[in-house]
Amino acid sequence: MSALLAASCLLGSLLQGLSPSTAEDVVATVLLDAGAEPRRALRLVHRPGWAQRARLSVASEVDTVSGAGPEGELRTEYGPEVVVPLRLSLPVTGAVDDSARYRLGPGRLVPPDPWAIPGEARYRLRVGRPEVRAVDEDGMEAALALAEALGALSGRDGEAVLSGTGALVEAWLDLRGGVSSQLVSQVRAALSSHWLATPPFPEEPVGPGARWTVARAHEPGSLSVITYELLELRGFRGRVRFEFQARTPGGSREPVAEGELRFDLRRPLPERLEVVFTSRTPRGRGGSVVRRTRVTLEAGGLQPLSRRVRVAVPP
């Protein structure tokens, strides 16, 4: 197994060819089809005092084709699987939309309903210790090197701001001390790639079968477009299918990502997300190199945040 293939698993699926979002990006959401009746606006229900745990797994493979026709040779290499535990929590003071609060006492702001804060909410993010699993014995050395590099993320804290429509407003992770510059740039790009939260919903009411696109114009001259289709909607839960295309100034649309996502409007993270990123590079004499990276995110239910209780100890 090549070292390059092992390095591509370093959250590569969130980074390969994807332009990270910046404050200067132009973002447009367009509703293509409102879907079947009954329709309703999809909005997140932010719950202060609760947390959600998830496991993000990344695995990659590379197909190398040499030559064309029946004499062509196909070689497939599999990279190690990276599993990153995540925890997203919303403290009682996590709401950032002041219009959703009222005053109780001098200068004190509290949410009117602790179970449903509209607008934006600021979540706390904690990264657990990443695990790296080799596919076979030949990949043990590369897996150990990758595990050592990713170990610097263990225990890191950050924040993520989610809007009421599910859009990722901003996210950051404290990467001071002990983190390489390469890992810092990759993590920053991953946090701004808008893949780890519920899908950004349109403002308009929608029903099953609805379709909408979210387009981002990056500099210089690149464009990323995600098309969503609402397959199911029952109460707070639903399922969407999506496709991602990145267009560069030269007209290329690689890589392409396709996947499905199950969401619960009462939770910040998807119940399950599965997406496959694919990029293809031509090679001489009819050959090609195809890279696929599979990302899976599985999240549990909400858990109440632990509260410390002070107990008086007799002298």
Side-chain angles (χ1 to χ4, degrees), residues 45-133:
V45 179
H46 303 297
R47 290 185 161 191
W50 293 78
Q52 187 180 16
R53 296 182 182 273
R55 291 173 65 85
L56 172 69
S57 64
V58 180
S60 66
E61 63 184 69
V62 176
D63 290 341
T64 303
V65 179
S66 302
E71 297 182 356
E73 296 182 358
L74 171 65
R75 184 179 78 255
T76 301
E77 294 182 271
Y78 298 92
E81 181 184 19
V82 178
V83 180
V84 183
L86 301 172
R87 182 176 184 267
L88 210 58
S89 60
L90 181 59
V92 175
T93 58
V96 298
D97 184 0
D98 286 344
S99 65
R101 306 179 182 184
Y102 67 90
R103 293 187 179 275
L104 179 63
R108 184 182 176 188
L109 290 175
V110 297
D113 180 358
W115 297 99
I117 293 179
E120 296 180 355
R122 185 179 300 275
Y123 287 84
R124 292 179 180 173
L125 171 65
R126 166 155 286 223
V127 179
R129 183 167 187 80
E131 305 172 10
V132 181
R133 304 168 182 171

Side-chain angles (χ1 to χ4, degrees), residues 14-32:
L14 302 178
L15 313 174
Q16 287 180 7
L18 300 183
S19 300
S21 301
T22 67
E24 292 75 24
D25 287 347
V26 178
V27 183
T29 301
V30 179
L31 181 63
L32 305 177

Side-chain angles (χ1 to χ4, degrees), residues 51-299:
Q52 187 180 16
R53 296 182 182 273
R55 291 173 65 85
L56 172 69
S57 64
V58 180
S60 66
E61 63 184 69
V62 176
D63 290 341
T64 303
V65 179
S66 302
E71 297 182 356
E73 296 182 358
L74 171 65
R75 184 179 78 255
T76 301
E77 294 182 271
Y78 298 92
E81 181 184 19
V82 178
V83 180
V84 183
L86 301 172
R87 182 176 184 267
L88 210 58
S89 60
L90 181 59
V92 175
T93 58
V96 298
D97 184 0
D98 286 344
S99 65
R101 306 179 182 184
Y102 67 90
R103 293 187 179 275
L104 179 63
R108 184 182 176 188
L109 290 175
V110 297
D113 180 358
W115 297 99
I117 293 179
E120 296 180 355
R122 185 179 300 275
Y123 287 84
R124 292 179 180 173
L125 171 65
R126 166 155 286 223
V127 179
R129 183 167 187 80
E131 305 172 10
V132 181
R133 304 168 182 171
V135 176
D136 49 40
E137 293 184 358
D138 295 337
M140 285 299 298
E141 184 175 348
L144 287 174
L146 186 57
E148 183 177 358
L150 289 173
L153 295 179
S154 180
R156 300 281 175 171
D157 292 314
E159 290 184 348
V161 178
L162 297 179
S163 73
T165 58
L168 183 62
V169 179
E170 63 175 344
W172 66 271
L173 193 66
D174 187 356
L175 298 174
R176 293 173 295 182
V179 182
S180 67
S181 58
Q182 180 185 8
L183 185 56
V184 167
S185 62
Q186 290 174 328
V187 171
R188 285 177 178 172
L191 289 174
S192 62
S193 62
H194 53 75
W195 283 105
L196 301 185
T198 54
F201 301 111
E203 294 286 345
E204 302 88 346
V206 294
R211 296 176 62 251
W212 66 94
T213 63
V214 178
R216 283 175 170 82
H218 308 279
E219 293 294 339
S222 59
L223 179 69
S224 61
V225 180
I226 308 177
T227 302
Y228 294 93
E229 180 181 1
L230 183 60
L231 303 178
E232 297 178 14
L233 181 60
R234 297 182 180 180
F236 289 100
R237 290 184 168 89
R239 179 168 62 96
V240 297
R241 179 169 53 218
F242 57 89
E243 179 180 283
F244 171 88
Q245 287 188 340
R247 303 180 184 180
T248 64
S252 173
R253 295 188 179 185
E254 296 287 355
V256 173
E258 295 180 306
E260 286 195 3
L261 180 150
R262 292 185 177 273
F263 65 85
D264 186 331
L265 296 174
R266 298 164 296 185
R267 306 176 186 179
L269 294 172
E271 291 185 310
R272 179 175 176 82
L273 161 71
E274 187 168 350
V275 55
V276 177
F277 295 85
T278 304
S279 63
R280 184 184 303 271
T281 304
R283 197 172 178 178
R285 297 183 179 181
S288 63
V289 177
V290 179
R291 293 180 174 85
R292 299 183 187 88
T293 311
R294 182 179 301 275
V295 176
T296 304
L297 179 74
E298 292 185 283

